[in-house]
Amino acid sequence: MKNVLIIGSTGQIGSELTLELRKRYNGNIVAGYIPGAEPKGELLESGPAEVVDITNEQQIAEVVSKYKIDTIYNLAALLSAVAEIKPQLAWKIGMDGLFNVLEVAREHHCAVFTPSSIGVFGNNTPKDKTPQDTIRNPRTMYGVTKVGGELLSDYYYIRFGVDTRSVRFPGLISYIAPPGGGTTDYAVDIYYEAVKGNKFVCPIAAGTFMDMMYMPDALHAAIQLMEADPTRLVHRNAFNIASMSFDPEIIFNNIKKYVPEFTMEYAVDSLRQSIAESWPNSLDDTCARIEWDWKPTYDLDTMTKDMLSKLKSRNLK
Ligand SMILES: NC(=O)c1ccc[n+]([C@@H]2O[C@H](COP(=O)([O-])OP(=O)(O)OC[C@H]3O[C@@H](n4cnc5c(N)ncnc54)[C@H](O)[C@@H]3O)[C@@H](O)[C@H]2O)c1
């Protein structure tokens, strides 16, 4: 039996990860949320839910004790574009919040998964096939908290034996919960506009390549890494994982294959564009493949077909 707490369970990743964990494990899979972001529908009805504000260590500890939690998926964060607007709050959630989670995990012997991001990289990082172990010098608060989070998580493993593991997620594409204000959100929005029959106004310039991944592969990565044999792990926080890399023109043309009347124009958002340009074009995920058998199943075309069919079945207005 596994007892899992998901902090930030109602966001883009959590709303799907929580349900996936409930399908796989028969213990308490607790959806942690903050007031104003309550779970709804299946997420609310299929298991326990508790208020867990990551900035409140005692609240985390109480829920961990109540449900005998052994694993924490810590998904609370402000995403890259929002974090640039509220850098102080991004630090409070990303760093102070992570510290609270790690302290509770140390005292209660929990494993911890805290997603990192391609945002750990910066302008001095090799851009193509970015290696696992390379320069991490972001100039965004999001990136600063992600690098700090990787280092702090490794510290808790080395110093206290807390079982911390993580991946650097690329931009995630999904059709259930909307993205939370990241630089790669355009690659989700473009599908919604195509299905609604609208013109898409793209905030990222043509020729800007970023790594992306379809949500089913991202969920699989998180769970597979947490279940991996620890004796094989050379790295911990955090693994590069990759499945596809494209620019706006490539994803637009792929969608147009299935929605021929679809059109797109550009209105580049300077904040998102500058963040996008500081991130890699593509990642080398060899270490994840060797150390825990990571392998994605979706490419751009199979993702596009699935996204379009799932969104069409929702009769979007
Ligand atoms: N979605 C992506 O494309 C992507 C890519 C790379 C990394 N990540 C990382 O994955 C994690 C989850 O991302 P997401 O896309 O689901 O984000 P999201 O913005 O959709 O969800 C974040 C969740 O955190 C919650 N939250 C905010 N403040 C909180 C607080 N004080 N205490 C507890 N919860 C709080 C929000 O209510 C929300 O449910 C984050 O660490 C993010 O940086 C996401």
Side-chain angles (χ1 to χ4, degrees), residues 7-14 33-34 37 52-55 74-79 93 115-118 142 146 169-172 178-181 184:
I7 300 177
S9 70
T10 58
Q12 189 192 5
I13 300 176
Y33 66 94
I34 51 171
V52 179
D53 187 324
I54 197 168
T55 62
N74 165 24
L75 307 179
L78 295 190
L79 297 199
I93 295 171
S116 187
S117 158
I118 54 174
Y142 184 67
K146 290 301 180 190
F169 280 134
L172 300 181
T184 53

PDB file of all heavy atoms in Angstrom, residues 7-14 33-34 37 52-55 74-79 93 115-118 142 146 169-172 178-181 184, ligand 1:
ATOM      1  N   ILE A   7       0.891  17.898  -3.334  1.00  0.00           N
ATOM      2  CA  ILE A   7       0.731  19.321  -2.999  1.00  0.00           C
ATOM      3  C   ILE A   7       0.580  20.077  -4.327  1.00  0.00           C
ATOM      4  O   ILE A   7       1.377  19.888  -5.236  1.00  0.00           O
ATOM      5  CB  ILE A   7       1.955  19.840  -2.202  1.00  0.00           C
ATOM      6  CG1 ILE A   7       2.103  19.053  -0.899  1.00  0.00           C
ATOM      7  CG2 ILE A   7       1.824  21.335  -1.922  1.00  0.00           C
ATOM      8  CD1 ILE A   7       3.318  19.435  -0.062  1.00  0.00           C
ATOM      9  N   GLY A   8      -0.455  20.912  -4.436  1.00  0.00           N
ATOM     10  CA  GLY A   8      -0.716  21.585  -5.718  1.00  0.00           C
ATOM     11  C   GLY A   8      -1.436  20.658  -6.679  1.00  0.00           C
ATOM     12  O   GLY A   8      -1.172  20.647  -7.880  1.00  0.00           O
ATOM     13  N   SER A   9      -2.393  19.875  -6.128  1.00  0.00           N
ATOM     14  CA  SER A   9      -3.034  18.807  -6.922  1.00  0.00           C
ATOM     15  C   SER A   9      -4.026  19.312  -7.960  1.00  0.00           C
ATOM     16  O   SER A   9      -4.491  18.536  -8.777  1.00  0.00           O
ATOM     17  CB  SER A   9      -3.763  17.843  -5.987  1.00  0.00           C
ATOM     18  OG  SER A   9      -4.887  18.514  -5.440  1.00  0.00           O
ATOM     19  N   THR A  10      -4.407  20.591  -7.909  1.00  0.00           N
ATOM     20  CA  THR A  10      -5.440  21.045  -8.844  1.00  0.00           C
ATOM     21  C   THR A  10      -4.867  21.775 -10.061  1.00  0.00           C
ATOM     22  O   THR A  10      -5.611  22.310 -10.866  1.00  0.00           O
ATOM     23  CB  THR A  10      -6.460  21.965  -8.129  1.00  0.00           C
ATOM     24  OG1 THR A  10      -5.762  23.073  -7.568  1.00  0.00           O
ATOM     25  CG2 THR A  10      -7.186  21.215  -7.025  1.00  0.00           C
ATOM     26  N   GLY A  11      -3.549  21.782 -10.211  1.00  0.00           N
ATOM     27  CA  GLY A  11      -2.934  22.452 -11.357  1.00  0.00           C
ATOM     28  C   GLY A  11      -2.907  21.574 -12.599  1.00  0.00           C
ATOM     29  O   GLY A  11      -3.549  20.514 -12.640  1.00  0.00           O
ATOM     30  N   GLN A  12      -2.144  22.019 -13.602  1.00  0.00           N
ATOM     31  CA  GLN A  12      -2.120  21.307 -14.890  1.00  0.00           C
ATOM     32  C   GLN A  12      -1.640  19.866 -14.716  1.00  0.00           C
ATOM     33  O   GLN A  12      -2.234  18.940 -15.261  1.00  0.00           O
ATOM     34  CB  GLN A  12      -1.218  22.043 -15.892  1.00  0.00           C
ATOM     35  CG  GLN A  12      -1.321  21.468 -17.300  1.00  0.00           C
ATOM     36  CD  GLN A  12      -0.237  21.968 -18.246  1.00  0.00           C
ATOM     37  OE1 GLN A  12       0.681  22.693 -17.859  1.00  0.00           O
ATOM     38  NE2 GLN A  12      -0.332  21.575 -19.506  1.00  0.00           N
ATOM     39  N   ILE A  13      -0.579  19.665 -13.950  1.00  0.00           N
ATOM     40  CA  ILE A  13      -0.048  18.306 -13.771  1.00  0.00           C
ATOM     41  C   ILE A  13      -0.842  17.563 -12.683  1.00  0.00           C
ATOM     42  O   ILE A  13      -1.263  16.420 -12.875  1.00  0.00           O
ATOM     43  CB  ILE A  13       1.441  18.335 -13.376  1.00  0.00           C
ATOM     44  CG1 ILE A  13       2.278  19.033 -14.462  1.00  0.00           C
ATOM     45  CG2 ILE A  13       1.959  16.910 -13.130  1.00  0.00           C
ATOM     46  CD1 ILE A  13       3.753  19.186 -14.121  1.00  0.00           C
ATOM     47  N   GLY A  14      -1.058  18.224 -11.555  1.00  0.00           N
ATOM     48  CA  GLY A  14      -1.664  17.556 -10.407  1.00  0.00           C
ATOM     49  C   GLY A  14      -3.039  16.997 -10.691  1.00  0.00           C
ATOM     50  O   GLY A  14      -3.390  15.907 -10.208  1.00  0.00           O
ATOM     51  N   TYR A  33      -4.590  21.050  -1.626  1.00  0.00           N
ATOM     52  CA  TYR A  33      -4.981  22.236  -2.399  1.00  0.00           C
ATOM     53  C   TYR A  33      -4.965  23.453  -1.498  1.00  0.00           C
ATOM     54  O   TYR A  33      -4.911  23.336  -0.270  1.00  0.00           O
ATOM     55  CB  TYR A  33      -6.380  22.047  -3.013  1.00  0.00           C
ATOM     56  CG  TYR A  33      -7.482  21.976  -1.985  1.00  0.00           C
ATOM     57  CD1 TYR A  33      -8.199  23.127  -1.625  1.00  0.00           C
ATOM     58  CD2 TYR A  33      -7.786  20.771  -1.346  1.00  0.00           C
ATOM     59  CE1 TYR A  33      -9.199  23.066  -0.658  1.00  0.00           C
ATOM     60  CE2 TYR A  33      -8.780  20.718  -0.386  1.00  0.00           C
ATOM     61  CZ  TYR A  33      -9.483  21.857  -0.040  1.00  0.00           C
ATOM     62  OH  TYR A  33     -10.452  21.795   0.920  1.00  0.00           O
ATOM     63  N   ILE A  34      -4.981  24.642  -2.125  1.00  0.00           N
ATOM     64  CA  ILE A  34      -5.102  25.871  -1.332  1.00  0.00           C
ATOM     65  C   ILE A  34      -6.482  26.478  -1.580  1.00  0.00           C
ATOM     66  O   ILE A  34      -7.070  26.269  -2.650  1.00  0.00           O
ATOM     67  CB  ILE A  34      -3.990  26.902  -1.666  1.00  0.00           C
ATOM     68  CG1 ILE A  34      -3.890  27.151  -3.176  1.00  0.00           C
ATOM     69  CG2 ILE A  34      -2.661  26.482  -1.076  1.00  0.00           C
ATOM     70  CD1 ILE A  34      -2.972  28.295  -3.563  1.00  0.00           C
ATOM     71  N   ALA A  37      -8.424  27.267  -4.970  1.00  0.00           N
ATOM     72  CA  ALA A  37      -8.065  26.312  -6.033  1.00  0.00           C
ATOM     73  C   ALA A  37      -8.519  24.919  -5.593  1.00  0.00           C
ATOM     74  O   ALA A  37      -7.749  23.960  -5.580  1.00  0.00           O
ATOM     75  CB  ALA A  37      -6.559  26.349  -6.285  1.00  0.00           C
ATOM     76  N   VAL A  52      -3.545  22.133   1.990  1.00  0.00           N
ATOM     77  CA  VAL A  52      -2.102  22.063   2.294  1.00  0.00           C
ATOM     78  C   VAL A  52      -1.433  23.236   1.598  1.00  0.00           C
ATOM     79  O   VAL A  52      -1.222  23.218   0.384  1.00  0.00           O
ATOM     80  CB  VAL A  52      -1.468  20.735   1.810  1.00  0.00           C
ATOM     81  CG1 VAL A  52       0.036  20.732   2.138  1.00  0.00           C
ATOM     82  CG2 VAL A  52      -2.134  19.528   2.450  1.00  0.00           C
ATOM     83  N   ASP A  53      -1.130  24.266   2.387  1.00  0.00           N
ATOM     84  CA  ASP A  53      -0.383  25.405   1.854  1.00  0.00           C
ATOM     85  C   ASP A  53       1.088  25.124   2.097  1.00  0.00           C
ATOM     86  O   ASP A  53       1.507  24.914   3.240  1.00  0.00           O
ATOM     87  CB  ASP A  53      -0.823  26.692   2.573  1.00  0.00           C
ATOM     88  CG  ASP A  53      -0.205  27.929   1.927  1.00  0.00           C
ATOM     89  OD1 ASP A  53       0.967  27.847   1.483  1.00  0.00           O
ATOM     90  OD2 ASP A  53      -0.888  28.962   1.877  1.00  0.00           O
ATOM     91  N   ILE A  54       1.873  25.114   1.047  1.00  0.00           N
ATOM     92  CA  ILE A  54       3.276  24.705   1.151  1.00  0.00           C
ATOM     93  C   ILE A  54       4.086  25.658   2.034  1.00  0.00           C
ATOM     94  O   ILE A  54       5.150  25.292   2.537  1.00  0.00           O
ATOM     95  CB  ILE A  54       3.895  24.570  -0.260  1.00  0.00           C
ATOM     96  CG1 ILE A  54       5.186  23.748  -0.207  1.00  0.00           C
ATOM     97  CG2 ILE A  54       4.141  25.928  -0.897  1.00  0.00           C
ATOM     98  CD1 ILE A  54       5.704  23.332  -1.559  1.00  0.00           C
ATOM     99  N   THR A  55       3.561  26.867   2.228  1.00  0.00           N
ATOM    100  CA  THR A  55       4.296  27.815   3.074  1.00  0.00           C
ATOM    101  C   THR A  55       4.024  27.560   4.566  1.00  0.00           C
ATOM    102  O   THR A  55       4.547  28.271   5.416  1.00  0.00           O
ATOM    103  CB  THR A  55       3.936  29.277   2.717  1.00  0.00           C
ATOM    104  OG1 THR A  55       2.540  29.482   2.962  1.00  0.00           O
ATOM    105  CG2 THR A  55       4.242  29.583   1.259  1.00  0.00           C
ATOM    106  N   ASN A  74       5.435  17.157  -4.829  1.00  0.00           N
ATOM    107  CA  ASN A  74       5.342  18.592  -4.542  1.00  0.00           C
ATOM    108  C   ASN A  74       5.241  19.377  -5.852  1.00  0.00           C
ATOM    109  O   ASN A  74       6.248  19.622  -6.515  1.00  0.00           O
ATOM    110  CB  ASN A  74       6.584  19.028  -3.755  1.00  0.00           C
ATOM    111  CG  ASN A  74       6.746  20.533  -3.746  1.00  0.00           C
ATOM    112  OD1 ASN A  74       5.773  21.276  -3.907  1.00  0.00           O
ATOM    113  ND2 ASN A  74       7.975  20.996  -3.580  1.00  0.00           N
ATOM    114  N   LEU A  75       4.008  19.746  -6.213  1.00  0.00           N
ATOM    115  CA  LEU A  75       3.786  20.415  -7.500  1.00  0.00           C
ATOM    116  C   LEU A  75       3.509  21.906  -7.346  1.00  0.00           C
ATOM    117  O   LEU A  75       3.211  22.581  -8.335  1.00  0.00           O
ATOM    118  CB  LEU A  75       2.599  19.752  -8.225  1.00  0.00           C
ATOM    119  CG  LEU A  75       2.683  18.232  -8.391  1.00  0.00           C
ATOM    120  CD1 LEU A  75       1.440  17.709  -9.101  1.00  0.00           C
ATOM    121  CD2 LEU A  75       3.929  17.837  -9.173  1.00  0.00           C
ATOM    122  N   ALA A  76       3.601  22.433  -6.123  1.00  0.00           N
ATOM    123  CA  ALA A  76       3.294  23.857  -5.921  1.00  0.00           C
ATOM    124  C   ALA A  76       4.395  24.716  -6.537  1.00  0.00           C
ATOM    125  O   ALA A  76       5.580  24.460  -6.313  1.00  0.00           O
ATOM    126  CB  ALA A  76       3.171  24.158  -4.432  1.00  0.00           C
ATOM    127  N   ALA A  77       4.007  25.702  -7.302  1.00  0.00           N
ATOM    128  CA  ALA A  77       4.985  26.623  -7.906  1.00  0.00           C
ATOM    129  C   ALA A  77       4.234  27.763  -8.568  1.00  0.00           C
ATOM    130  O   ALA A  77       3.035  27.658  -8.849  1.00  0.00           O
ATOM    131  CB  ALA A  77       5.820  25.893  -8.959  1.00  0.00           C
ATOM    132  N   LEU A  78       4.946  28.858  -8.817  1.00  0.00           N
ATOM    133  CA  LEU A  78       4.470  29.838  -9.799  1.00  0.00           C
ATOM    134  C   LEU A  78       5.266  29.555 -11.064  1.00  0.00           C
ATOM    135  O   LEU A  78       6.493  29.462 -11.020  1.00  0.00           O
ATOM    136  CB  LEU A  78       4.750  31.273  -9.334  1.00  0.00           C
ATOM    137  CG  LEU A  78       4.034  31.758  -8.077  1.00  0.00           C
ATOM    138  CD1 LEU A  78       4.238  33.256  -7.913  1.00  0.00           C
ATOM    139  CD2 LEU A  78       2.539  31.425  -8.100  1.00  0.00           C
ATOM    140  N   LEU A  79       4.586  29.416 -12.185  1.00  0.00           N
ATOM    141  CA  LEU A  79       5.286  29.081 -13.426  1.00  0.00           C
ATOM    142  C   LEU A  79       6.050  30.287 -13.980  1.00  0.00           C
ATOM    143  O   LEU A  79       5.905  31.407 -13.492  1.00  0.00           O
ATOM    144  CB  LEU A  79       4.316  28.497 -14.443  1.00  0.00           C
ATOM    145  CG  LEU A  79       3.663  27.166 -14.027  1.00  0.00           C
ATOM    146  CD1 LEU A  79       3.102  26.440 -15.240  1.00  0.00           C
ATOM    147  CD2 LEU A  79       4.613  26.237 -13.290  1.00  0.00           C
ATOM    148  N   ILE A  93       7.212  30.217  -2.422  1.00  0.00           N
ATOM    149  CA  ILE A  93       6.601  28.916  -2.725  1.00  0.00           C
ATOM    150  C   ILE A  93       7.678  27.916  -3.163  1.00  0.00           C
ATOM    151  O   ILE A  93       7.744  26.790  -2.691  1.00  0.00           O
ATOM    152  CB  ILE A  93       5.511  29.069  -3.815  1.00  0.00           C
ATOM    153  CG1 ILE A  93       4.361  29.920  -3.275  1.00  0.00           C
ATOM    154  CG2 ILE A  93       5.017  27.713  -4.294  1.00  0.00           C
ATOM    155  CD1 ILE A  93       3.332  30.319  -4.324  1.00  0.00           C
ATOM    156  N   PRO A 115       9.098  18.549  -9.275  1.00  0.00           N
ATOM    157  CA  PRO A 115       9.526  18.731 -10.657  1.00  0.00           C
ATOM    158  C   PRO A 115      10.492  19.893 -10.812  1.00  0.00           C
ATOM    159  O   PRO A 115      10.271  20.963 -10.255  1.00  0.00           O
ATOM    160  CB  PRO A 115       8.228  19.048 -11.412  1.00  0.00           C
ATOM    161  CG  PRO A 115       7.136  18.659 -10.520  1.00  0.00           C
ATOM    162  CD  PRO A 115       7.653  18.705  -9.115  1.00  0.00           C
ATOM    163  N   SER A 116      11.547  19.647 -11.575  1.00  0.00           N
ATOM    164  CA  SER A 116      12.382  20.754 -12.034  1.00  0.00           C
ATOM    165  C   SER A 116      11.941  21.081 -13.463  1.00  0.00           C
ATOM    166  O   SER A 116      10.859  20.677 -13.884  1.00  0.00           O
ATOM    167  CB  SER A 116      13.863  20.375 -11.927  1.00  0.00           C
ATOM    168  OG  SER A 116      14.639  21.516 -12.212  1.00  0.00           O
ATOM    169  N   SER A 117      12.767  21.786 -14.186  1.00  0.00           N
ATOM    170  CA  SER A 117      12.303  22.327 -15.471  1.00  0.00           C
ATOM    171  C   SER A 117      13.481  22.613 -16.398  1.00  0.00           C
ATOM    172  O   SER A 117      14.618  22.795 -15.928  1.00  0.00           O
ATOM    173  CB  SER A 117      11.543  23.625 -15.179  1.00  0.00           C
ATOM    174  OG  SER A 117      11.496  24.461 -16.303  1.00  0.00           O
ATOM    175  N   ILE A 118      13.174  22.725 -17.687  1.00  0.00           N
ATOM    176  CA  ILE A 118      14.181  23.215 -18.642  1.00  0.00           C
ATOM    177  C   ILE A 118      14.577  24.648 -18.283  1.00  0.00           C
ATOM    178  O   ILE A 118      15.573  25.151 -18.775  1.00  0.00           O
ATOM    179  CB  ILE A 118      13.683  23.147 -20.106  1.00  0.00           C
ATOM    180  CG1 ILE A 118      12.331  23.876 -20.286  1.00  0.00           C
ATOM    181  CG2 ILE A 118      13.565  21.706 -20.560  1.00  0.00           C
ATOM    182  CD1 ILE A 118      11.867  23.972 -21.748  1.00  0.00           C
ATOM    183  N   TYR A 142      12.033  31.972 -11.767  1.00  0.00           N
ATOM    184  CA  TYR A 142      11.600  30.574 -11.921  1.00  0.00           C
ATOM    185  C   TYR A 142      12.829  29.661 -11.980  1.00  0.00           C
ATOM    186  O   TYR A 142      12.930  28.673 -11.248  1.00  0.00           O
ATOM    187  CB  TYR A 142      10.778  30.454 -13.204  1.00  0.00           C
ATOM    188  CG  TYR A 142      10.191  29.083 -13.452  1.00  0.00           C
ATOM    189  CD1 TYR A 142       9.203  28.557 -12.632  1.00  0.00           C
ATOM    190  CD2 TYR A 142      10.611  28.313 -14.539  1.00  0.00           C
ATOM    191  CE1 TYR A 142       8.648  27.314 -12.873  1.00  0.00           C
ATOM    192  CE2 TYR A 142      10.058  27.065 -14.794  1.00  0.00           C
ATOM    193  CZ  TYR A 142       9.080  26.576 -13.965  1.00  0.00           C
ATOM    194  OH  TYR A 142       8.531  25.338 -14.209  1.00  0.00           O
ATOM    195  N   LYS A 146      14.299  26.798  -9.414  1.00  0.00           N
ATOM    196  CA  LYS A 146      14.441  25.409  -9.870  1.00  0.00           C
ATOM    197  C   LYS A 146      15.861  24.904  -9.643  1.00  0.00           C
ATOM    198  O   LYS A 146      16.056  23.769  -9.220  1.00  0.00           O
ATOM    199  CB  LYS A 146      14.037  25.282 -11.345  1.00  0.00           C
ATOM    200  CG  LYS A 146      12.548  25.450 -11.600  1.00  0.00           C
ATOM    201  CD  LYS A 146      11.736  24.423 -10.844  1.00  0.00           C
ATOM    202  CE  LYS A 146      10.247  24.558 -11.060  1.00  0.00           C
ATOM    203  NZ  LYS A 146       9.461  23.727 -10.147  1.00  0.00           N
ATOM    204  N   PHE A 169      11.095  18.798 -16.377  1.00  0.00           N
ATOM    205  CA  PHE A 169      10.028  18.736 -17.376  1.00  0.00           C
ATOM    206  C   PHE A 169      10.256  19.783 -18.452  1.00  0.00           C
ATOM    207  O   PHE A 169      10.603  20.934 -18.146  1.00  0.00           O
ATOM    208  CB  PHE A 169       8.658  18.995 -16.744  1.00  0.00           C
ATOM    209  CG  PHE A 169       8.050  17.820 -16.033  1.00  0.00           C
ATOM    210  CD1 PHE A 169       7.481  17.981 -14.778  1.00  0.00           C
ATOM    211  CD2 PHE A 169       7.991  16.566 -16.635  1.00  0.00           C
ATOM    212  CE1 PHE A 169       6.894  16.907 -14.115  1.00  0.00           C
ATOM    213  CE2 PHE A 169       7.402  15.488 -15.982  1.00  0.00           C
ATOM    214  CZ  PHE A 169       6.858  15.663 -14.722  1.00  0.00           C
ATOM    215  N   PRO A 170      10.011  19.415 -19.705  1.00  0.00           N
ATOM    216  CA  PRO A 170       9.907  20.426 -20.755  1.00  0.00           C
ATOM    217  C   PRO A 170       8.501  21.027 -20.713  1.00  0.00           C
ATOM    218  O   PRO A 170       7.752  20.780 -19.763  1.00  0.00           O
ATOM    219  CB  PRO A 170      10.149  19.606 -22.028  1.00  0.00           C
ATOM    220  CG  PRO A 170       9.726  18.216 -21.684  1.00  0.00           C
ATOM    221  CD  PRO A 170       9.817  18.056 -20.184  1.00  0.00           C
ATOM    222  N   GLY A 171       8.108  21.809 -21.704  1.00  0.00           N
ATOM    223  CA  GLY A 171       6.747  22.333 -21.764  1.00  0.00           C
ATOM    224  C   GLY A 171       5.768  21.184 -21.882  1.00  0.00           C
ATOM    225  O   GLY A 171       5.950  20.308 -22.728  1.00  0.00           O
ATOM    226  N   LEU A 172       4.728  21.185 -21.037  1.00  0.00           N
ATOM    227  CA  LEU A 172       3.795  20.054 -21.038  1.00  0.00           C
ATOM    228  C   LEU A 172       2.486  20.420 -21.724  1.00  0.00           C
ATOM    229  O   LEU A 172       1.911  21.485 -21.466  1.00  0.00           O
ATOM    230  CB  LEU A 172       3.536  19.584 -19.604  1.00  0.00           C
ATOM    231  CG  LEU A 172       4.789  19.114 -18.867  1.00  0.00           C
ATOM    232  CD1 LEU A 172       4.436  18.638 -17.463  1.00  0.00           C
ATOM    233  CD2 LEU A 172       5.525  18.019 -19.635  1.00  0.00           C
ATOM    234  N   PRO A 178      -5.998  23.797 -17.676  1.00  0.00           N
ATOM    235  CA  PRO A 178      -5.199  24.719 -18.482  1.00  0.00           C
ATOM    236  C   PRO A 178      -3.823  24.951 -17.863  1.00  0.00           C
ATOM    237  O   PRO A 178      -3.658  24.780 -16.650  1.00  0.00           O
ATOM    238  CB  PRO A 178      -6.021  26.011 -18.451  1.00  0.00           C
ATOM    239  CG  PRO A 178      -6.870  25.905 -17.238  1.00  0.00           C
ATOM    240  CD  PRO A 178      -7.110  24.447 -16.993  1.00  0.00           C
ATOM    241  N   PRO A 179      -2.827  25.327 -18.659  1.00  0.00           N
ATOM    242  CA  PRO A 179      -1.494  25.596 -18.109  1.00  0.00           C
ATOM    243  C   PRO A 179      -1.511  26.834 -17.213  1.00  0.00           C
ATOM    244  O   PRO A 179      -2.363  27.711 -17.353  1.00  0.00           O
ATOM    245  CB  PRO A 179      -0.620  25.799 -19.337  1.00  0.00           C
ATOM    246  CG  PRO A 179      -1.547  26.105 -20.454  1.00  0.00           C
ATOM    247  CD  PRO A 179      -2.873  25.512 -20.110  1.00  0.00           C
ATOM    248  N   GLY A 180      -0.544  26.892 -16.289  1.00  0.00           N
ATOM    249  CA  GLY A 180      -0.589  27.893 -15.220  1.00  0.00           C
ATOM    250  C   GLY A 180       0.195  29.165 -15.453  1.00  0.00           C
ATOM    251  O   GLY A 180       0.488  29.885 -14.509  1.00  0.00           O
ATOM    252  N   GLY A 181       0.579  29.475 -16.691  1.00  0.00           N
ATOM    253  CA  GLY A 181       1.303  30.735 -16.943  1.00  0.00           C
ATOM    254  C   GLY A 181       2.780  30.515 -17.203  1.00  0.00           C
ATOM    255  O   GLY A 181       3.642  31.218 -16.692  1.00  0.00           O
ATOM    256  N   THR A 184       5.819  27.992 -22.285  1.00  0.00           N
ATOM    257  CA  THR A 184       5.441  27.047 -23.332  1.00  0.00           C
ATOM    258  C   THR A 184       3.917  26.893 -23.464  1.00  0.00           C
ATOM    259  O   THR A 184       3.455  26.058 -24.225  1.00  0.00           O
ATOM    260  CB  THR A 184       6.063  25.665 -23.033  1.00  0.00           C
ATOM    261  OG1 THR A 184       5.711  25.296 -21.696  1.00  0.00           O
ATOM    262  CG2 THR A 184       7.582  25.703 -23.169  1.00  0.00           C
TER     263      THR A 184
HETATM  264  N1  LIG B   1       3.338  22.491 -16.826  1.00  0.00           N
HETATM  265  C1  LIG B   1       4.545  22.567 -17.363  1.00  0.00           C
HETATM  266  O1  LIG B   1       4.697  22.724 -18.578  1.00  0.00           O
HETATM  267  C2  LIG B   1       5.752  22.403 -16.482  1.00  0.00           C
HETATM  268  C3  LIG B   1       7.015  22.320 -17.077  1.00  0.00           C
HETATM  269  C4  LIG B   1       8.140  22.211 -16.274  1.00  0.00           C
HETATM  270  C5  LIG B   1       7.997  22.106 -14.898  1.00  0.00           C
HETATM  271  N2  LIG B   1       6.763  22.189 -14.337  1.00  0.00           N
HETATM  272  C6  LIG B   1       6.682  22.125 -12.878  1.00  0.00           C
HETATM  273  O2  LIG B   1       5.729  21.177 -12.445  1.00  0.00           O
HETATM  274  C7  LIG B   1       5.108  21.625 -11.243  1.00  0.00           C
HETATM  275  C8  LIG B   1       3.592  21.678 -11.414  1.00  0.00           C
HETATM  276  O3  LIG B   1       3.320  22.508 -12.527  1.00  0.00           O
HETATM  277  P1  LIG B   1       1.856  22.762 -13.081  1.00  0.00           P
HETATM  278  O4  LIG B   1       2.011  23.013 -14.523  1.00  0.00           O
HETATM  279  O5  LIG B   1       0.919  21.735 -12.599  1.00  0.00           O
HETATM  280  O6  LIG B   1       1.572  24.175 -12.389  1.00  0.00           O
HETATM  281  P2  LIG B   1       0.165  24.910 -12.145  1.00  0.00           P
HETATM  282  O7  LIG B   1       0.444  26.366 -12.060  1.00  0.00           O
HETATM  283  O8  LIG B   1      -0.855  24.424 -13.103  1.00  0.00           O
HETATM  284  O9  LIG B   1      -0.218  24.337 -10.703  1.00  0.00           O
HETATM  285  C9  LIG B   1       0.455  24.747  -9.547  1.00  0.00           C
HETATM  286  C10 LIG B   1      -0.365  24.340  -8.351  1.00  0.00           C
HETATM  287  O10 LIG B   1       0.262  24.877  -7.179  1.00  0.00           O
HETATM  288  C11 LIG B   1      -0.769  25.355  -6.324  1.00  0.00           C
HETATM  289  N3  LIG B   1      -0.211  26.322  -5.382  1.00  0.00           N
HETATM  290  C12 LIG B   1       0.093  27.629  -5.584  1.00  0.00           C
HETATM  291  N4  LIG B   1       0.528  28.186  -4.434  1.00  0.00           N
HETATM  292  C13 LIG B   1       0.515  27.198  -3.501  1.00  0.00           C
HETATM  293  C14 LIG B   1       0.845  27.154  -2.124  1.00  0.00           C
HETATM  294  N5  LIG B   1       1.264  28.233  -1.459  1.00  0.00           N
HETATM  295  N6  LIG B   1       0.726  25.971  -1.471  1.00  0.00           N
HETATM  296  C15 LIG B   1       0.278  24.863  -2.106  1.00  0.00           C
HETATM  297  N7  LIG B   1      -0.075  24.861  -3.406  1.00  0.00           N
HETATM  298  C16 LIG B   1       0.055  26.024  -4.096  1.00  0.00           C
HETATM  299  C17 LIG B   1      -1.803  25.935  -7.256  1.00  0.00           C
HETATM  300  O11 LIG B   1      -3.057  26.033  -6.630  1.00  0.00           O
HETATM  301  C18 LIG B   1      -1.794  24.887  -8.367  1.00  0.00           C
HETATM  302  O12 LIG B   1      -2.684  23.838  -8.035  1.00  0.00           O
HETATM  303  C19 LIG B   1       5.741  22.995 -10.923  1.00  0.00           C
HETATM  304  O13 LIG B   1       6.843  22.792 -10.073  1.00  0.00           O
HETATM  305  C20 LIG B   1       6.237  23.447 -12.282  1.00  0.00           C
HETATM  306  O14 LIG B   1       7.306  24.347 -12.167  1.00  0.00           O
HETATM  307  C21 LIG B   1       5.637  22.329 -15.101  1.00  0.00           C
END
